[in-house]
Amino acid sequence: MNDQPNTELTIAWISQGRLFVRQGTSPPREIESDFAKQAQQREFRDSELNAWKGRSGVWGDLGMQPPGVAPWENADPRRKIRFVTACRGKSADEILYVLDMGAVGGLFSYDLRDDIECRLVHRQGFVARDVSRNPDGKELAVTLPRDDGTIGLSITRHDGLFGHTVALSDSLDEAPCWLSDGTRRLVFHSAVLGRNEHGFVVGKSPYRIEMLDLESEKTSTLLEEDGFDLLQPRMTADGGLLCIRRPHKPATRHVSSLDLLADIVFFPFRLVRTFVHFFHFMSMMFTGKPLITATGPEQHRPQASPYLMLWGQAVDTKRILQTDRQGGQKQPLVPKDWVLIHRSPDGTEKSIAENVLAWDMSGNGEIVWTDGRHIFAGTADGTTRQIDEGDVIERVVALS
């Protein structure tokens, strides 16, 4: 890493499904997809043309919506489109990103200098979790969820086409990153899934760091620790390894006798609440009138999920945002034990930052990370500066 902060650092981040870019000391700007806008307009026109079907015929005469259509649902198609992940392109002026548009998804490139978007891949069911571009510009590493609950690692051409799966195990293989030494090697984190006798997933192992050599077609484990997840690996030119370390939380937990007693005591109240909400839903479905009005009309509007899934763990963003309003300061989304560490080739470890939700490293070795609310940049001598802030920052990418 450089000894002095790089004021010309270009970074990008995804916050609540929206993509932002900041170049040097310039104010951040939001990147909007022209392809997504056109898709929105087409879907909105189609929904308007077909809107009469929900207000006519036998259902309309009875004052009811068609089956399966909730009258309080927001029909605005824009809520379906979100940026999922991003990575640097062939230069600091290009960014690659994945768009989730509901039934379809796509991989796009964007020229920051000329504001030109290029569609690379666009098909049904394509929602890559991660994408990483080989420094030689010839290949991409992408991770794609599969129907059996696993996440597979695939290698494609530089334009995202003709991909082939390189990891077929019953595992979650995510966050690939190519080595910058000119070889076809990459590192990623991986967790093995545990299934019961019926084939259902019941748990997963701690995430470990693995390296894949495409030339020899071999995979080796670089680092694993009992009781800890090791996430988002990056390797430096001297062979050092950087990653996030967090405590591993098993999917199953011990149920105490106190928890069992509480379930027994509150069972009648929970059963009554279930019946009330069921008949409230049926009333809204067939008459459009709510049975529950004490909390006002706001409760009938669709609400975004208050949880952010981070490598298999859910973070209650709603609770943290409420804490902000009470304390007046933005609190990190993840706890202090989410630590970004550096492990040298001789095994020496050093802690770089705490409360690290996601991070990246620029081409000259400067580190950029986020705690979910703020974005920081750091240098080798421990100098840290805050670059920007937001509400729910999910990803951060160093472009330059």
Side-chain angles (χ1 to χ4, degrees), residues 23-310:
Q23 296 174 288
T25 57
S26 302
R29 64 185 177 109
E30 183 175 359
I31 303 299
E32 296 183 314
S33 170
D34 290 336
F35 180 87
K37 288 181 180 179
Q38 295 171 7
Q40 287 176 350
Q41 293 171 358
R42 288 194 299 269
E43 189 172 351
F44 188 68
R45 286 196 300 266
D46 292 342
S47 65
E48 285 186 326
L49 290 174
N50 297 321
W52 63 272
K53 297 179 181 179
R55 298 190 297 267
S56 62
V58 62
W59 295 102
D61 294 338
L62 295 176
M64 296 183 293
Q65 297 288 334
V69 179
W72 65 88
E73 283 187 345
N74 183 5
D76 187 354
R78 289 175 294 182
R79 64 187 175 89
K80 300 179 181 178
I81 298 175
R82 61 184 300 270
F83 290 84
V84 178
T85 187
C87 76
R88 66 174 66 92
K90 59 185 177 182
S91 69
D93 293 321
E94 183 184 53
I95 183 172
L96 303 179
Y97 52 79
V98 175
L99 277 177
D100 179 6
M101 294 171 281
V104 297
L107 174 66
F108 300 81
S109 68
Y110 193 91
D111 190 316
L112 299 173
R113 178 177 299 175
D114 299 326
D115 290 330
I116 298 177
E117 181 183 52
C118 179
R119 181 181 61 183
L120 302 178
V121 178
H122 174 233
R123 64 173 182 262
Q124 186 172 5
F126 179 86
V127 183
R129 297 285 188 89
D130 308 283
V131 57
S132 177
R133 180 181 179 275
N134 194 323
D136 66 9
K138 297 180 180 179
E139 295 174 304
L140 296 178
V142 298
T143 59
L144 296 168
R146 297 192 286 248
D147 294 337
D148 59 359
T150 62
I151 298 178
L153 178 61
S154 297
I155 305 299
T156 75
R157 291 191 332 187
H158 66 282
D159 55 7
L161 299 175
F162 303 105
H164 61 280
T165 303
V166 294
L168 295 174
S169 58
D170 197 15
S171 60
L172 306 175
D173 302 322
E174 303 171 285
C177 182
W178 297 89
L179 273 64
S180 57
D181 57 0
T183 64
R184 297 183 66 213
R185 295 186 298 168
L186 53 86
V187 291
F188 60 96
H189 67 235
S190 178
V192 178
L193 296 179
R195 301 180 184 271
N196 59 19
E197 63 274 14
H198 304 292
F200 295 106
V201 176
V202 295
K204 60 180 178 60
S205 69
Y207 284 95
R208 61 180 182 268
I209 306 300
E210 300 206 352
M211 176 184 288
L212 172 64
D213 189 334
L214 294 174
E215 296 293 345
S216 63
E217 298 183 351
K218 293 183 179 180
T219 302
S220 58
T221 300
L222 295 183
L223 186 62
E224 61 180 335
E225 295 184 19
D226 291 337
F228 290 94
D229 290 324
L230 304 175
L231 309 168
Q232 282 194 280
R234 304 283 190 272
M235 290 201 73
T236 59
D238 62 357
L241 176 67
L242 294 96
C243 65
I244 298 174
R245 175 195 282 142
R246 73 176 185 190
H248 174 69
K249 293 183 178 180
T252 59
R253 65 182 184 91
H254 173 70
V255 179
S256 65
S257 57
L258 186 61
D259 294 332
L260 182 60
L261 179 61
D263 288 339
I264 295 175
V265 172
F266 289 107
F267 178 79
F269 302 97
R270 294 169 179 169
L271 184 62
V272 171
R273 184 178 61 184
T274 300
F275 277 106
V276 170
H277 282 281
F278 171 77
F279 287 109
H280 165 74
F281 170 79
M282 297 301 293
S283 177
M284 289 293 296
M285 188 71 173
F286 291 101
T287 68
K289 297 180 180 180
L291 294 180
I292 304 174
T293 59
T295 57
E298 287 294 328
Q299 86 171 49
H300 310 305
R301 298 180 181 178
Q303 300 291 328
S305 172
Y307 294 98
L308 175 65
M309 290 301 298
L310 299 172

Side-chain angles (χ1 to χ4, degrees), residues 11 13 20-22 24-29 330 368-377 385-390 393:
I11 64 169
W13 66 90
F20 299 87
V21 173
R22 178 167 180 167
T25 57
S26 302
R29 64 185 177 109
K330 289 190 174 183
V368 179
W369 72 90
T370 178
D371 60 6
R373 314 303 304 285
H374 312 86
I375 300 175
F376 304 93
R385 71 186 192 279
Q386 181 176 325
I387 298 178
D388 220 301
E389 64 179 28
I393 302 172

